[in-house]
Amino acid sequence: MTGTFTTRTVDVTTGSTETMHDLTSACSVFLREVAHGRDGLLNIFTPHATSGLAVIETGAGSDNDLLAALGEVLPPDDRWRERHGSGGPGRDHMLPALVPPHATLPVVGGELELGASQSVVLVTTGRGGADGRVRLSFLG
């Protein structure tokens, strides 16, 4: 049997503050619709210069710890510069170097293979944007 490739985008409202948006449910819904019990890979990608994707435990404090750590590594102050030299969201543009804009995860029996406490989250430090887009792609 040859593999199939299916892709779609999911729109996410992130707000204008540092946040994590849990994508696990959206990934599961997508896989129920397209994987049909097959094994394969789910690729998740955000095409935004100020966001990244992480697999992390949520709800127990790790999500806030990650945002705090990013605040220490990428302080929200005026040291960051855009390429053209003016002050701007240069700090936010550094985020994908630390939290990559992509993740590839195993799918087994049509379901996302995550650990018991793991979630897939969109991480954003952007202070100006309120919307994001994430592409989900299944190969199986």
Side-chain angles (χ1 to χ4, degrees):
M1 176 179 198
T2 61
T4 61
F5 177 80
T6 306
T7 188
R8 87 170 47 134
T9 59
V10 175
D11 292 321
V12 178
T13 300
T14 59
S16 58
T17 59
E18 296 179 334
T19 188
M20 288 189 184
H21 182 84
D22 195 331
L23 298 170
T24 310
S25 179
C27 292
S28 295
V29 167
F30 172 69
L31 290 171
R32 275 195 300 275
E33 293 174 4
V34 304
H36 307 291
R38 294 189 313 264
D39 295 348
L41 296 172
L42 175 67
N43 181 266
I44 309 160
F45 175 72
T46 179
H48 300 286
T50 60
S51 61
L53 294 158
V55 177
I56 190 170
E57 179 181 17
T58 58
S62 298
D63 36 2
N64 291 330
D65 289 343
L66 177 57
L67 291 176
L70 288 171
E72 289 180 25
V73 174
L74 301 172
D77 56 28
D78 291 333
R79 77 180 76 189
W80 308 102
R81 299 283 175 199
E82 294 280 48
R83 185 176 199 140
H84 52 73
S86 66
R91 167 208 190 231
D92 303 323
H93 288 167
M94 295 296 296
L95 177 67
L98 301 174
V99 181
H102 57 86
T104 301
L105 303 170
V107 175
V108 178
E111 295 184 15
L112 195 54
E113 185 79 0
L114 290 173
S117 299
Q118 290 181 316
S119 297
V120 179
V121 295
L122 176 69
V123 180
T124 181
T125 58
R127 294 170 280 179
D131 297 310
R133 176 165 283 159
V134 175
R135 178 166 296 282
L136 305 176
S137 302
F138 174 69
L139 177 62

